[in-house]
């Protein structure tokens, strides 16, 4: 059974919007630069959870290779900015370099820029807690996260703040899938099956996952 919760409605102009979006994305991809990021591969190989600062876009790829890279626009000033990686036991915390308590916008202000991390299977992926994010002067940009894996796993917990988006890319089975979702956040895993699915904090949120 495919579970859909809180599916939003679409307007008649969705096809035209999609064509324009695809064309724009192609142009953006051509202006991107891939940059390697230094990370402790030994510590990375032992992590079980990932914590991500708000306003960041992160793609996590399950892999035997332990490394990280980022895709950023080719800015005229050629300024290189890299995220901070902090290891706390078996947890990796990803932060924007030079961020402050109000915003990460000076780091990842533009759409489509992202951090890509290659590492082991994860038991938990969560967004860093924030207090009243919409009250800061710069506004709040939601987290965009994708988890790329084709391997089955026993459990996975995903914790998101409001308006954030999470997607599992690949086809796999998760025995116990636990979702703790903020208001208007979205979780998509159309090719993932879950024996046990638990969703908490649901309010006008979209959830797509196969549930046995």
């Amino acid at each position: 059974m495919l579970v859909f919760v809180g599916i939003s409605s679409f307007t008649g102009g969705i096809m035209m919007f999609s064509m324009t979006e695809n064309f724009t994305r192609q142009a953006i991809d051509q202006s991107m630069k891939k940059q390697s990021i230094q990370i402790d591969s030994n510590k990375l190989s032992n992590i079980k959870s990932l914590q991500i600062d708000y306003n960041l876009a992160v793609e996590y790829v399950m892999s035997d290779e332990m490394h990280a890279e980022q895709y950023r626009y080719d800015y005229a000033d050629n300024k290189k900015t890299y995220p901070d990686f902090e290891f706390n036991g078996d947890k990796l915390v990803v932060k924007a370099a030079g961020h402050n308590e109000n915003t990460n916008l000076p780091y990842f202000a533009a759409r489509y820029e992202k951090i890509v991390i290659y590492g082991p299977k994860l038991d938990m992926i969560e967004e860093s807690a924030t207090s009243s994010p919409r009250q800061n002067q710069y506004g709040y940009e939601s987290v965009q996260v994708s988890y790329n894996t084709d391997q089955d796993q026993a459990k996975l917990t995903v914790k998101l703040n409001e308006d954030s988006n999470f997607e599992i890319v690949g086809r796999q089975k998760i025995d116990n899938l636990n979702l703790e979702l903020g208001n208007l956040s979205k979780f998509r895993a159309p090719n993932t099956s879950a024996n046990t699915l638990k969703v908490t904090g649901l309010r006008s949120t979209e959830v797509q996952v196969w549930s046995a």
Side-chain angles (χ1 to χ4, degrees):
M1 176 179 64
L2 181 60
V3 178
F4 293 89
V5 183
I7 304 301
S8 49
S9 61
F10 295 90
T11 67
I14 188 67
M15 182 175 295
M16 181 65 70
F17 175 81
S18 297
M19 292 175 62
T20 303
E21 183 77 4
N22 290 337
F23 179 81
T24 302
R25 183 58 189 267
Q26 291 178 3
I28 288 172
D29 287 344
Q30 294 176 357
S31 68
M32 285 286 184
K33 270 193 173 182
K34 182 174 75 171
Q35 303 169 347
S36 296
I37 311 174
Q38 288 188 347
I39 191 170
D40 190 321
S41 59
N42 290 328
K43 291 182 178 179
L44 178 60
S45 66
N46 293 315
I47 68 168
K48 295 181 180 179
S49 65
L50 176 68
Q51 181 176 311
I52 302 166
D53 256 7
Y54 62 94
N55 291 353
L56 293 183
V58 176
E59 178 180 351
Y60 188 93
V61 182
M62 188 184 302
S63 173
D64 293 331
E65 300 180 5
M66 307 293 151
H67 67 279
E69 57 196 23
Q70 67 179 3
Y71 291 81
R72 302 209 67 196
Y73 291 121
D74 188 9
Y75 293 105
D77 60 7
N78 200 30
K79 182 179 180 180
K80 292 183 173 65
T81 307
Y82 299 97
D84 291 331
F85 295 128
E86 297 180 2
F87 291 93
N88 184 6
D90 60 6
K91 175 188 289 188
L92 170 61
V93 181
V94 182
K95 295 183 177 181
H99 80 293
N100 58 47
E101 62 182 5
N102 290 323
T103 180
N104 288 334
L105 291 180
Y107 185 80
F108 275 98
R111 294 179 63 193
Y112 306 116
E113 295 185 323
K114 65 181 179 180
I115 302 164
V116 184
I117 302 171
Y118 297 82
K121 184 185 303 182
L122 298 175
D123 293 335
M124 177 182 292
I125 302 175
E126 62 181 324
E127 182 179 357
S128 298
T130 67
S131 58
S132 303
R134 292 189 178 277
Q135 295 180 8
N136 70 60
Q137 59 179 321
Y138 299 98
Y140 174 73
E141 293 292 328
S142 58
V143 161
Q144 310 288 328
V145 184
S146 64
Y147 181 47
N148 294 264
T149 174
D150 286 314
Q151 296 185 25
D152 297 343
Q153 57 187 90
K155 60 182 180 180
L156 177 65
T157 296
V158 176
K159 298 180 179 180
L160 300 177
N161 294 333
E162 62 179 272
D163 289 333
S164 294
N165 293 278
F166 188 100
E167 180 179 15
I168 297 181
V169 180
R171 186 179 299 275
Q172 66 291 117
K173 175 182 176 182
I174 301 174
D175 290 335
N176 293 286
L177 180 57
N178 180 33
L179 307 180
E180 300 180 21
L181 305 177
N183 294 340
L184 303 178
S185 59
K186 296 181 180 180
F187 177 91
R188 298 185 184 92
N191 296 313
T192 297
S193 63
N195 286 335
T196 301
L197 172 63
K198 181 180 179 182
V199 183
T200 57
L202 185 65
R203 179 185 173 188
S204 299
T205 301
E206 178 180 335
V207 176
Q208 298 181 18
V209 62
W210 283 98
S211 180

